[in-house]
């Protein structure tokens, strides 16, 4: 089965509020994690990534947190906007060899209420 | 240019047809991928090309045949598909390997009748 999963399949937030999307992974050898955003009818769009030697990384309005102790990854979106409505996938890469595939989580649908 | 392009955007084909999906990137990436995505599911890896050589085939049926004519192009040839093959087919690329960030194209929505 998949080693990457999500706690919440759907999330509804009010416009302007902060969103937190969670992801659990089971392989302690995973060393690279990516968050993708997929809007309806489009391909996954890279949002932010983090390597296992970090526990936090910030982008524009987004922050990824990595807790290796409990194998947990989260994506925080500040001041959520209607354009943030999409399905969000976490993905992990197990190992540095470059020969292991990216494993996607099941995805969380984020709905922004105007 | 930071884009992966795919054509066609939509494709409808019968089970006896032969068709091809095309993918192109001009980012100088040396790894390219085909994924299949069913509705409300994450992408599933089908094939990986590394430096224009097929490096991974995730047990995909032979009715799907990938081809990498050069480092910028990736094709997926389709023949004798089944209705259950209907899905969004995504192409992606990354600088060198699966250890790098993968960038996805918009996908081809395939319907097999």
């Amino acid at each position: 089965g998949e080693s990457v999963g999500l706690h919440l399949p759907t999330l509804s937030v009010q416009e302007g509020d902060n969103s937190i999307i969670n992801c659990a992974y089971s392989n302690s050898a995973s060393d690279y994690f990516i968050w993708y955003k997929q809007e309806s009818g489009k391909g996954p769009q890279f949002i932010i990534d983090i390597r296992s030697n970090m526990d936090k990384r910030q982008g524009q309005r987004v922050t990824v947190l990595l807790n290796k102790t409990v194998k947990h990854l989260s994506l925080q979106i500040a001041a959520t906007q209607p354009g943030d409505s999409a399905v969000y996938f976490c993905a992990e890469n197990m190992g540095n060899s470059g020969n292991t595939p990216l494993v996607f989580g099941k995805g969380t649908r984020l709905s922004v209420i105007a | 240019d930071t884009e992966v392009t795919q054509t066609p955007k939509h494709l409808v084909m019968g089970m006896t047809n032969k068709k091809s999906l095309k993918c192109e990137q001009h980012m100088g990436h040396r790894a390219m991928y085909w994924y299949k995505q069913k509705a409300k599911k994450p992408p599933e890896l089908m094939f990986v090309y590394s430096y224009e050589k097929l490096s991974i085939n995730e047990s995909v049926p032979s009715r799907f045949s990938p081809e990498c004519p050069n480092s910028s192009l990736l094709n997926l040839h389709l023949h004798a598909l089944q209705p259950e093959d209907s899905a969004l087919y995504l192409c992606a690329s990354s600088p060198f390997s699966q250890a790098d960030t993968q960038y996805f194209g918009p996908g081809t929505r395939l319907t097999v009748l």
Side-chain angles (χ1 to χ4, degrees):
Chain A
E2 289 184 49
S3 70
V4 179
L6 294 171
H7 297 307
L8 296 172
T10 60
L11 179 65
S12 295
V13 297
Q14 205 72 34
E15 181 179 358
D17 287 353
N18 296 335
S19 302
I20 300 176
I21 301 172
N22 295 303
C23 181
Y25 65 96
S26 59
N27 192 328
S28 57
S30 295
D31 67 348
Y32 181 49
F33 304 87
I34 308 173
W35 281 102
Y36 286 96
K37 171 188 180 183
Q38 187 172 23
E39 296 176 85
S40 181
K42 296 184 179 180
Q45 175 190 358
F46 171 84
I47 302 174
I48 193 168
D49 59 1
I50 190 167
R51 296 206 177 264
S52 58
N53 61 349
M54 302 174 72
D55 52 20
K56 180 179 180 179
R57 192 157 188 231
Q58 288 185 287
Q60 189 177 14
R61 279 202 309 120
V62 294
T63 301
V64 55
L65 298 177
L66 176 62
N67 186 330
K68 294 181 284 295
T69 303
V70 295
K71 300 197 196 78
H72 185 265
L73 188 70
S74 68
L75 176 70
Q76 300 179 0
I77 304 174
T80 312
Q81 302 168 359
D84 295 326
S85 294
V87 176
Y88 289 80
F89 292 102
C90 63
E92 67 175 303
N93 187 273
M94 305 181 201
N96 286 318
S97 68
N99 292 324
T100 55
L102 204 56
V103 176
F104 285 83
K106 290 181 169 58
T108 292
R109 180 173 298 281
L110 176 65
S111 295
V112 181
I113 305 163
Chain B
D1 187 353
T2 59
E3 202 177 13
V4 177
T5 60
Q6 289 186 244
T7 56
K9 192 172 174 62
H10 301 277
L11 179 62
V12 179
M13 60 187 290
M15 290 189 283
T16 58
N17 292 159
K18 285 185 181 180
K19 297 286 184 182
S20 296
L21 309 184
K22 296 186 184 303
C23 173
E24 190 166 3
Q25 57 87 14
H26 294 289
M27 296 179 277
H29 288 176
R30 303 313 302 269
M32 296 185 76
Y33 313 81
W34 281 115
Y35 286 85
K36 173 183 178 180
Q37 187 179 27
K38 300 286 271 187
K40 301 181 182 179
K41 297 287 187 183
E44 299 173 25
L45 183 65
M46 300 174 73
F47 302 104
V48 180
Y49 271 83
S50 178
Y51 290 81
E52 299 155 55
K53 287 185 169 41
L54 182 64
S55 63
I56 294 178
N57 174 342
E58 292 284 349
S59 303
V60 180
S62 60
R63 57 186 184 267
F64 295 92
S65 174
E67 178 198 17
C68 190
N70 60 55
S71 60
S72 300
L73 294 174
L74 188 66
N75 298 323
L76 185 62
H77 303 297
L78 315 172
H79 174 54
L81 295 194
Q82 303 297 310
E84 59 264 29
D85 296 322
S86 298
L88 181 68
Y89 287 84
L90 294 162
C91 174
S93 71
S94 66
F96 298 104
S97 74
Q98 295 184 94
D100 305 318
T101 304
Q102 293 183 30
Y103 297 91
F104 285 82
T108 293
R109 174 71 59 190
L110 174 68
T111 302
V112 182
L113 301 176

